[in-house]
Amino acid sequence: MSLLWEVTRSTAMVGTLALSAMVTLGVLAASPASRIPRFLSQALHRNVAALAVALVTAHVVTVLADPYVPLTWTDGLVPFAASYKSVGTAIGTLGVDVLVVVAATSLLRGRMTHRAWRTVHLTGYALWPLAIAHGLLVGTDNQAVRWICLGGTAPVLAAALWRAGSAPSPGAVR
Amino acid sequence: MSSTESRAAARDRALRTLHLTTGIVTVAAMGATGAITGALVPPQPAAAPTSQQSQPTPMPLPHRTIHVPSTSSATAVVVRARRNASTQAPVATTGSS
């Protein structure tokens, strides 16, 4: 096993936490009930998202460059192209594809309509469960991965429940 | 300073603090990644030669075997003696008088 393989695993662990923080902050930033000024919560969400993208990029680049796992660049972008733990790797590949699309549309937000950007951005919600499923299916050689996935799940679920509970009902009279 | 200007200044300060904080978090995340990598890397075998250590380290033997010549017959009697000093090299003597 090479150093690249260990970097792959460590970037996956820290990246999972960063993705969880990114989604949690995204949920909180979009909530009308949040007491934090929106410009602050959105800036924090963007910064953490940049960190998560950097860690995921490092994870993908190192796993593809490492000869320990026989993966090609095609395997890293096309789901089910890899033979190594095909289902778990495909879920991770799908997550990377979603992340690329969401990040690209966020960078091009000024050139898109708000409706189009929001529609694409909401698919980012799928990114987080994909990342957790990928970690649980592929990261089977280390117990810490399960704890990290569990630790990342708690704030996301708490934020989602809080937002669902604080959102006004459709029929509410204001 | 008008209220609009003061609000803009407060917003800039808040954003600067936010970026500084996230910068620190980013450095911490990179440090955590490095620390986890270091913890995951398995220790190298002790006998592996390094650049400074060109000569291989001889493995110590727990016992030495001495073949003592027999005076009554040609058959050698093998005596296993405990190694009594670290300076003593393993000795293996065979033969008959």
Side-chain angles (χ1 to χ4, degrees):
Chain A
M1 256 179 255
S2 68
L3 180 65
L4 279 176
W5 179 244
E6 310 303 352
V7 173
T8 298
R9 298 166 76 198
S10 60
T11 49
M13 292 180 190
V14 183
T16 301
L17 293 176
L19 282 173
S20 299
M22 176 190 81
V23 175
T24 303
L25 291 167
V27 171
L28 297 178
S31 172
S34 176
R35 291 181 182 177
I36 305 170
R38 180 161 283 199
F39 75 94
L40 270 183
S41 56
Q42 288 186 347
L44 190 58
H45 170 63
R46 276 195 298 270
N47 287 354
V48 174
L51 174 64
V53 168
L55 287 164
V56 171
T57 303
H59 173 67
V60 173
V61 168
T62 51
V63 80
L64 295 180
D66 183 26
Y68 180 66
V69 178
L71 292 175
T72 63
W73 290 95
T74 309
D75 298 337
L77 293 173
V78 181
F80 294 102
S83 58
Y84 174 77
K85 294 186 178 180
S86 58
V87 174
T89 306
I91 290 172
T93 303
L94 202 58
V96 169
D97 293 341
V98 172
L99 184 63
V100 168
V101 171
V102 170
T105 51
S106 292
L107 291 173
L108 298 171
R109 185 178 179 178
R111 298 183 182 184
M112 300 173 66
T113 62
H114 181 74
R115 185 186 176 90
W117 170 82
R118 184 175 167 78
T119 303
V120 175
H121 206 75
L122 286 175
T123 62
Y125 276 109
L127 167 66
W128 180 77
L130 287 172
I132 295 294
H134 169 71
L136 291 175
L137 288 172
V138 178
T140 53
D141 56 341
N142 198 318
Q143 287 292 323
V145 173
R146 292 180 185 173
W147 287 108
I148 286 171
C149 290
L150 192 66
T153 302
V156 173
L157 284 181
L161 288 173
W162 175 78
R163 186 172 175 191
S166 63
S169 59
V173 178
R174 289 191 161 189
Chain B
M1 185 182 284
S2 68
S3 63
T4 306
E5 287 173 340
S6 66
R7 262 205 308 272
R11 181 186 169 114
D12 285 346
R13 275 197 304 276
L15 279 176
R16 269 202 300 273
T17 307
L18 174 76
H19 292 320
L20 180 67
T21 307
T22 49
I24 292 169
V25 170
T26 301
V27 172
M30 296 304 169
T33 305
I36 293 171
T37 303
L40 288 173
V41 171
Q44 296 296 314
T50 60
S51 57
Q52 288 88 16
Q53 186 183 3
S54 58
Q55 295 296 324
T57 305
M59 294 294 290
L61 297 176
H63 296 86
R64 61 177 178 159
T65 304
I66 302 173
H67 294 262
V68 178
S70 172
T71 55
S72 60
S73 69
T75 304
V77 178
V78 178
V79 177
R80 293 179 66 82
R82 181 169 289 279
R83 190 180 180 197
N84 53 6
S86 61
T87 54
Q88 279 188 314
V91 176
T93 307
T94 58
S96 60
S97 57

